[in-house]
Amino acid sequence: QVQLQESGPGLVKPSETLSLTCTVSGASFSGYYWSWFRQPPGKGLEWIGYIYDSGSTKYNPSLKSRVTISMDTSKNQFSLKLTSVTAADTAVYYCTSGAGWLTDFWGQGTLVTVSS
Amino acid sequence: EIVLTQSPDTLSLSPGEGATLSCRASQSVSANYLAWFQQKPGQAPRLLIYDASSRATGFPDRFSGSGSGTDFTLTISRLEPEDFAVYYCQQYAISPLTFGGGTKVEIK
């Protein structure tokens, strides 16, 4: 059973960079898609992007200019960076995994608030 | 981008009643790559149905998914107290992956 745990600052100032890490246990990175999603408080879900085991990435065009997803297989981690954040980026951020684009496993989520 | 529209926004039902949730896509979802997720307050979404009609591990057979092309349905045959939650449909056929706005199934 894959387990994922998000970590990172819960508060980020406007215009700064949001950085989160997802620590993976119970699976290797090989053959899986590792994704980030987010959910603003009281609202719906949005896909941010994924990284595949080869290191290839795909991002939501709505965020593409500000997003970078990377992986560190030696630490069993993958990460999200979102630059130039605003209040609209306040959300619960989830890391997930799946054998394809279907997401099977989700982390518990971490709330990131953008505020000065 | 495929836009998914869910209806209704809210379903008010009593335990034991059946629920029918709709998800309509703005264009055909190839290979029926349509999933349903269940989300309870304070929890992450949980995969419920994939490939439009395959039930994920851990969910009872009172949950069923159907549909193809642009019209999909999630049916809960007899609501149990633990089924009251928000349900989202998601297409994973083309990028960007997109979700519907959700249907809240609440206790009447």
Side-chain angles (χ1 to χ4, degrees):
Chain A
Q1 177 98 351
V2 181
Q3 293 186 314
L4 306 108
Q5 179 66 58
E6 305 89 351
S7 60
L11 181 64
V12 180
K13 289 182 169 54
S15 80
E16 295 191 344
T17 296
L18 179 159
S19 295
L20 295 174
T21 297
C22 183
T23 301
V24 179
S25 59
S28 70
F29 278 85
S30 178
Y32 286 88
Y33 289 78
W34 306 91
S35 302
W36 289 95
F37 292 82
R38 70 179 183 178
Q39 184 173 35
K43 296 188 178 181
L45 294 155
E46 180 180 33
W47 172 67
I48 298 171
Y50 69 67
I51 187 164
Y52 185 54
D53 71 348
S54 61
S56 62
T57 56
K58 187 176 281 288
Y59 303 129
N60 191 323
S62 68
L63 298 168
K64 186 176 181 179
S65 63
R66 299 194 291 133
V67 172
T68 303
I69 298 175
S70 59
M71 64 168 52
D72 185 340
T73 56
S74 67
K75 295 182 179 179
N76 275 2
Q77 294 177 335
F78 65 106
S79 299
L80 169 70
K81 289 190 186 302
L82 182 66
T83 62
S84 306
V85 297
T86 69
D89 295 309
T90 293
V92 175
Y93 286 76
Y94 296 100
C95 60
T96 74
S97 70
W101 285 8
L102 174 67
T103 297
D104 296 309
F105 298 100
W106 293 63
Q108 65 184 26
T110 186
L111 175 63
V112 179
T113 301
V114 178
S115 175
S116 56
Chain B
E1 172 176 325
I2 296 179
V3 176
L4 298 177
T5 302
Q6 291 188 242
S7 61
D9 292 336
T10 304
L11 267 177
S12 297
L13 297 167
S14 299
E17 290 190 295
T20 301
L21 288 66
S22 173
C23 176
R24 178 161 290 178
S26 60
Q27 62 190 82
S28 183
V29 178
S30 63
N32 290 335
Y33 283 163
L34 191 286
W36 292 92
F37 289 86
Q38 178 192 68
Q39 187 176 34
K40 296 180 180 179
Q43 297 183 17
R46 187 180 168 197
L47 178 64
L48 168 59
I49 297 286
Y50 62 95
D51 295 351
S53 61
S54 296
R55 199 166 45 251
T57 303
F59 282 97
D61 60 7
R62 65 177 179 271
F63 291 93
S64 63
S66 62
S68 64
T70 61
D71 289 296
F72 299 89
T73 300
L74 174 68
T75 301
I76 312 172
S77 60
R78 297 169 309 279
L79 284 161
E80 297 287 341
E82 61 268 27
D83 300 337
F84 291 92
V86 179
Y87 293 85
Y88 293 95
C89 60
Q90 183 216 25
Q91 67 80 22
Y92 49 100
I94 65 170
S95 178
L97 311 184
T98 51
F99 291 87
T103 291
K104 182 179 182 180
V105 179
E106 65 177 22
I107 299 176
K108 185 175 182 179

